[in-house]
Amino acid sequence: MALTVVGSIAFDAVKTPFGERERMLGGAAVHFSLAASFFTEVRPVGPVGDDFGDEHIGLLESRGILTEDIERVEGGQSFFWRGHYDFDLNVAHTDDTQLGVFGEFEPKLSDAAKAADTLFLANIQPDLQRQVRAQCGAGFSGLDSMNLWIEIAKDSLLAAVGEVDCLVVNDAEIRMLTGESNLARAARAVMDMGPRAVVAKRGEYGAALFTSEPGTDTGDGGTFFALPGFPLEDVRDPTGAGDSFAGGFFGYLDGTGGDLDEANLRRAMGYGTVLASFNVEEFGTERVARLGREEIDERFEALRRMTQFEGLPARRD
Ligand code: AMP
């Protein structure tokens, strides 16, 4: 199986209460690809400027990521994001966004990228997401976005949402996109637009999965599942947590043959949670870049133990 992802490939300047970095490798497609690389063959699509050095390509390749669809634009500048977090690490404050080479980007996917089984449209201008969707025949597709695009490109974002199978966004963004304050109703409104699954990311509180598959859990013909964030005492930089979650989630689904039954979706939620938790322990890609599969599986088992519920007797007496 193989996975194609389009999204920002960037440099980030980030300040949190626990430190700062002036220029580090980042971008939604980068965080996504690193997380997914533990499970499957992943191919990021997008442009970079000539400020994007061989060492950055080398880091991606050291994780087995296929980099042929990363296009280097001579004389161009890579996407740049500057942001900070105050005491509440769940809220990112954007100070500067420079699209750079993404401003003129016209995606042309290689044959291998077009042939991927799974496609993820990570956060970027929604028209670009749609252009990539139109070129890729993937049987399963997902999409992430952010408040900026809901504010300035809502119509094209709604069109893009209607063309994918699974929406993965922050809970506040689902509410903003649908105008529904209740999350379950908001997820239902998204599924009425086309997707058959919605993942609501909730920062340190974890993530919730809604599907429109027949199920008995919610009583309205769909299923529901949620996991907490993995409890950590040291969180330094939440940048890329959502993308790492999505990379773990879609990477695991693709790597297990695209099996979308409820049990596999729940396991994928677990791997997404685990990859996001490693990501936030250090700045940018620092922690995930030196992560090993064994550490991932160990944390996955710990998460399974701490969320065990069904195996308990229903009553105490
Ligand atoms: P996350 O913390 O998972 O929401 O993602 C943060 C990443 O998204 C950073 O590495 C940024 O480079 C990237 N990013 C920030 N703003 C944008 C934007 N407007 N479009 C695309 N990517 C962005």
Side-chain angles (χ1 to χ4, degrees):
M1 300 285 281
L3 172 53
T4 290
V5 55
V6 65
S8 50
I9 301 169
F11 289 111
D12 290 345
V14 175
K15 188 171 183 183
T16 82
F18 310 102
E20 60 187 299
R21 297 285 185 279
E22 200 33 51
R23 191 174 170 82
M24 62 184 179
L25 178 62
V30 167
H31 287 292
F32 179 96
S33 297
L34 285 169
S37 70
F38 292 95
F39 308 102
T40 195
E41 193 169 271
V42 56
R43 193 180 281 276
V45 173
V48 293
D50 44 21
D51 51 353
F52 203 84
D54 291 340
E55 70 274 26
H56 303 114
I57 295 284
L59 170 66
L60 299 175
E61 289 182 344
S62 74
R63 285 281 338 125
I65 294 166
L66 300 165
T67 57
E68 297 89 357
D69 283 78
I70 297 180
E71 184 193 328
R72 205 181 297 224
V73 180
E74 255 178 63
Q77 289 289 309
S78 299
F79 187 103
F80 177 75
W81 179 72
R82 179 182 292 278
H84 71 272
Y85 303 81
D86 296 327
F87 206 62
D88 180 354
L89 292 177
N90 284 320
V91 184
H93 302 277
T94 294
D95 302 313
D96 191 12
T97 302
Q98 292 171 20
L99 287 180
V101 287
F102 268 97
E104 287 99 55
F105 180 49
E106 287 176 16
K108 275 175 232 73
L109 272 60
S110 66
D111 288 344
K114 286 180 190 166
D117 307 278
T118 307
L119 172 67
F120 190 67
L121 307 171
N123 181 24
I124 198 65
Q125 216 283 342
D127 289 326
L128 290 178
Q129 294 179 313
R130 295 189 68 199
Q131 286 174 37
V132 171
R133 180 73 199 97
Q135 290 177 48
C136 186
F140 186 59
S141 57
L143 179 143
D144 187 10
S145 192
M146 70 182 294
N147 53 1
L148 173 72
W149 308 121
I150 303 175
E151 281 157 17
I152 69 172
K154 188 168 177 181
D155 288 346
S156 49
L157 178 57
L158 288 172
V161 169
E163 292 164 2
V164 297
D165 302 297
C166 180
L167 181 72
V168 185
V169 285
N170 293 337
D171 52 359
E173 291 158 1
I174 300 182
R175 294 191 177 98
M176 195 174 160
L177 189 67
T178 58
E180 265 292 349
S181 75
N182 175 284
L183 190 61
R185 283 179 190 276
R188 171 77 38 214
V190 170
M191 290 189 277
D192 288 344
M193 296 176 204
R196 54 191 152 120
V198 175
V199 177
K201 297 179 286 181
R202 300 155 143 175
E204 67 177 305
Y205 305 111
L209 168 73
F210 298 85
T211 83
S212 59
E213 302 302 316
T216 52
D217 299 8
T218 57
D220 65 354
T223 66
F224 174 78
F225 178 66
L227 283 175
F230 190 86
L232 295 171
E233 293 205 0
D234 287 310
V235 175
R236 294 204 173 77
D237 171 23
T239 308
D243 309 307
S244 302
F245 177 94
F249 182 83
F250 284 89
Y252 180 77
L253 289 175
D254 187 73
T256 50
D259 176 359
L260 300 177
D261 70 16
E262 184 67 21
N264 216 39
L265 286 171
R266 291 183 180 199
R267 282 190 286 270
M269 289 282 288
Y271 281 106
T273 300
V274 166
L275 266 298
S277 74
F278 280 113
N279 177 276
V280 303
E281 285 181 338
E282 292 176 25
F283 274 78
T285 60
E286 290 165 11
R287 182 68 181 95
V288 176
R290 59 177 164 74
L291 190 59
R293 180 65 202 250
E294 276 165 30
E295 296 174 285
I296 294 173
D297 288 335
E298 244 170 60
R299 194 170 279 187
F300 179 85
E301 284 308 319
L303 180 68
R304 253 160 55 87
R305 283 193 300 276
M306 68 180 66
T307 54
Q308 188 185 356
F309 193 66
E310 195 181 36
L312 302 177
R315 293 160 56 105
R316 191 160 175 271
D317 50 321

